Amino acid sequence: MHLSFATSITLVSLAAANPLSNRLAKRAAIDDCLRTANVPVDAPNSNDWRADSNPFNQRLKYTPVAIAVPTTVAQVQAAVSCAAKVNVKVNPKSGGHSYASFGLGGEDGHFVVQLDRMNAVTYDSATEIATVQAGARLGRVATALYNNGKRAFSHGTCPGVGVAGHSLHGGFGFSSHTYGLAVDAIVGATVVLADSSVVETSQTENPHIFWALRGAGSNFGIVTSLKFKTFAAPSQVTVFAINLPWTNASAIVQGWSTIQDWLKAEMPKEMNGRILGNRMQTQIQGLYHGTQAQLRTAIQPLLTKLNAQISQQQQYDWMGAFSYYTYGQQVDVSRPYNLVETFYSKSLVTPALPSNVLQNVANYWIQKAMSNNRNWFIIIDLYGGANSAITKVASNATAYAFRDPNNHLFLYEFYDRVNFGSYPSNGFEFLDGWVKSFTDGLTTDQWGMYINYADPTMNRTMAQDVYYRKNLPKLRALKTELDPTELFYYPQAIQPV
């Protein structure tokens, strides 16, 4: 027998002093509210529940109080209204790829709004704008746009990542040096706010909300769809790799110094790349927007300085190159999406490294990283520089913080995983120490961290600061205006004033 919603709310109030009773009462109350509002949900312990609550990072498993699976904006509004009535924290989950499991709330007892049933992609050839529902994954978006007039926008390489979380908090990929981040392509967004109202946002509609969404979107509401300006996908692009003989600290220092000088002043706009290092090898990997012949001409100055050769090059069409960097994953993927790993990850954004910092980083790489037998890697994205579209965007144009041509040259992902079993309790010090080898030699205004590679070991105060830096005061003021009771909350969410 189902309790009435009013009775359920009364039970929540009576159970407040007992945490277990409170969780059970809240579950009953929100279940009744969602049922009354005709919001579709996952039945607890069903196959859908298990799929939707299974985190990408198996180190961080949390149990939601309920999982809504809306297919319309009205159902999202009703879900948010129920969360407010029951006083339970709510989190949107698009692709579920959060490194910190923030789509599940980052702790037990949150209400999850699973968006991946809302995954339509449409394209208007007159405006060259794509409208993408928030639950679409990057591979589906790339495929749909390419099939509609060979269009594209800049985004990352993993096909299963949800478009909303990725783009609302940055979104770097192998087009970013040429066209900017995914967040820079957003020209409009539909969002359900904490009062369950739905608003349109753009440069002309609710521009203050639009500003905040582009860089910190998970804090202010549930975005149900996004509008992206697109570009014509290049007819020919070239995948390439350059092996780097970084087997000792002096080789790392010399090679890194050469690369950062080239990136600052010379790296062509059409060149997109990263350094990928692990226990087996270190390479520059990239995508040049042009032919193999054009790549060879453009990359030759760097090859000469490094005394290196291109170790791999292959010309593709746009989707061929996208597929290449998926490393065998299905490209056009929706659900179920079952890729999971067990890992710890950190991030950084830094300027060109001073010689003393570079020496410390190189020493750590050789002495500590190379003696770690786990399956770790470091990605050093070639992010900024004189020709980067990312740092040409005005620093105050969006809430995304890292636009300084002088201080934001590299974006880093540090990733340490185990292939079997649990992540070791003494494993965290490895990446913590590596990041410290960078930050000890930099001032706090020279570096930050990237929330798309969230590190849940940081406390809320530090996390807000390093993710949003100078934009944090304005974001906190907007959080106070739009969501003062923190209905949209996770442990590193922006805090109202």
Side-chain angles (χ1 to χ4, degrees):
M1 182 175 67
H2 299 309
L3 299 174
S4 71
F5 178 63
T7 302
S8 299
I9 291 295
T10 301
L11 290 175
V12 170
S13 299
L14 292 173
N18 185 317
L20 177 59
S21 296
N22 190 34
R23 286 197 297 271
L24 294 174
K26 282 190 173 183
R27 172 170 289 180
I30 199 161
D31 284 348
D32 283 344
C33 184
L34 294 169
R35 187 180 302 110
T36 300
N38 293 316
V39 176
V41 299
D42 286 342
N45 300 315
S46 65
N47 288 339
D48 281 337
W49 176 283
R50 285 188 286 270
D52 291 336
S53 63
N54 191 34
F56 170 63
N57 188 350
Q58 295 285 288
R59 189 175 61 82
L60 300 168
K61 296 183 177 182
Y62 303 110
T63 303
V65 69
I67 303 174
V69 288
T71 58
T72 68
V73 175
Q75 290 172 353
V76 175
Q77 290 180 270
V80 171
S81 178
C82 285
K85 288 174 183 175
V86 177
N87 189 29
V88 62
K89 302 303 183 186
V90 61
N91 301 94
K93 180 168 168 276
S94 177
H97 216 266
S98 169
Y99 285 10
S101 298
F102 286 154
L104 296 172
E107 60 188 10
D108 290 334
H110 283 226
F111 173 35
V112 174
V113 179
Q114 176 75 43
L115 294 167
D116 64 1
R117 279 72 163 179
M118 300 173 66
N119 56 32
V121 181
T122 58
Y123 173 67
D124 185 335
S125 59
T127 62
E128 299 183 343
I129 289 174
T131 301
V132 182
Q133 287 188 309
R137 300 176 190 270
L138 296 182
R140 166 153 292 190
V141 176
T143 301
L145 291 182
Y146 193 75
N147 289 342
N148 276 277
K150 296 186 177 180
R151 305 299 297 183
F153 72 88
S154 180
H155 54 70
T157 60
C158 183
V161 167
V163 69
H166 178 73
S167 61
L168 291 170
H169 302 97
F172 182 88
F174 280 141
S175 302
S176 295
H177 195 256
T178 307
Y179 291 104
L181 302 168
V183 70
D184 301 327
I186 299 172
V187 295
T190 304
V191 58
V192 176
L193 300 177
D195 63 2
S196 75
S197 65
V198 59
V199 299
E200 300 296 331
T201 69
S202 67
Q203 294 285 12
T204 57
E205 293 181 280
N206 300 295
H208 63 305
I209 302 176
F210 187 56
W211 177 86
L213 292 178
R214 291 174 298 149
S218 58
N219 295 275
F220 298 98
I222 298 182
V223 171
T224 58
S225 67
L226 295 149
K227 293 184 184 297
F228 294 96
K229 61 183 178 182
T230 66
F231 56 81
S235 59
Q236 296 174 315
V237 292
T238 304
V239 167
F240 68 93
I242 302 167
N243 290 332
L244 298 173
W246 287 9
T247 56
N248 58 72
S250 61
I252 293 174
V253 170
Q254 182 177 353
W256 194 317
S257 296
T258 298
I259 292 168
Q260 71 182 13
D261 288 345
W262 173 78
L263 174 58
K264 280 192 295 184
E266 299 178 49
M267 179 169 160
K269 178 182 177 182
E270 297 79 14
M271 191 82 66
N272 295 269
R274 67 189 182 194
I275 301 168
L276 174 63
N278 55 38
R279 290 182 63 246
M280 304 302 295
Q281 65 177 353
T282 304
Q283 286 186 323
I284 298 175
Q285 300 177 339
L287 184 69
Y288 182 79
H289 289 210
T291 65
Q292 289 188 65
Q294 291 169 325
L295 164 69
R296 288 192 291 269
T297 299
I299 201 73
Q300 190 56 51
L302 177 62
L303 296 175
T304 300
K305 293 171 184 177
L306 290 173
N307 191 27
Q309 300 293 323
I310 298 175
S311 56
Q312 179 184 357
Q313 56 183 309
Q314 180 64 51
Q315 196 167 294
Y316 291 97
D317 65 11
W318 183 253
M319 287 307 298
F322 184 88
S323 180
Y324 176 88
Y325 277 116
T326 67
Y327 301 116
Q329 295 183 54
Q330 181 181 343
V331 172
D332 186 357
V333 59
S334 54
R335 57 173 291 111
Y337 179 69
N338 300 317
L339 180 65
V340 295
E341 297 190 339
T342 301
F343 64 95
Y344 177 50
S345 183
K346 298 181 80 71
S347 68
L348 274 177
V349 183
T350 76
L353 299 183
S355 58
N356 62 316
V357 175
L358 187 47
Q359 187 65 59
N360 290 337
V361 168
N363 290 344
Y364 197 97
W365 189 319
I366 297 301
Q367 297 169 13
K368 300 290 186 180
M370 294 304 290
S371 63
N372 177 355
N373 291 324
R374 291 188 297 274
N375 191 5
W376 61 267
F377 65 78
I378 180 174
I379 290 177
I380 309 165
D381 289 317
L382 307 183
Y383 176 93
N387 297 316
S388 174
I390 302 169
T391 52
K392 290 185 185 301
V393 176
S395 62
N396 63 351
T398 70
Y400 182 79
F402 307 118
R403 306 286 193 182
D404 188 330
N406 296 315
N407 282 341
H408 303 142
L409 194 67
F410 296 113
L411 168 66
Y412 307 78
E413 179 182 9
F414 305 83
Y415 199 97
D416 185 36
R417 60 190 164 189
V418 293
N419 294 330
F420 305 99
S422 301
Y423 189 81
S425 59
N426 63 352
F428 299 93
E429 62 188 31
F430 164 53
L431 293 188
D432 291 345
W434 206 349
V435 168
K436 191 172 186 294
S437 73
F438 288 79
T439 59
D440 276 354
L442 301 172
T443 60
T444 55
D445 63 340
Q446 288 183 301
W447 64 273
M449 291 184 174
Y450 181 53
I451 192 171
N452 276 353
Y453 306 145
D455 172 10
T457 66
M458 293 187 292
N459 65 43
R460 190 178 189 183
T461 299
M462 180 178 182
Q464 292 177 99
D465 183 27
V466 298
Y467 293 149
Y468 304 111
R469 289 303 194 197
K470 64 182 180 59
N471 291 329
L472 182 59
K474 184 176 177 180
L475 288 168
R476 291 190 66 192
L478 284 167
K479 182 70 170 178
T480 304
E481 174 190 342
L482 297 172
D483 185 21
T485 63
E486 299 186 271
L487 184 66
F488 302 110
Y489 170 84
Y490 51 90
Q492 293 180 346
I494 291 169
Q495 192 169 14
V497 177

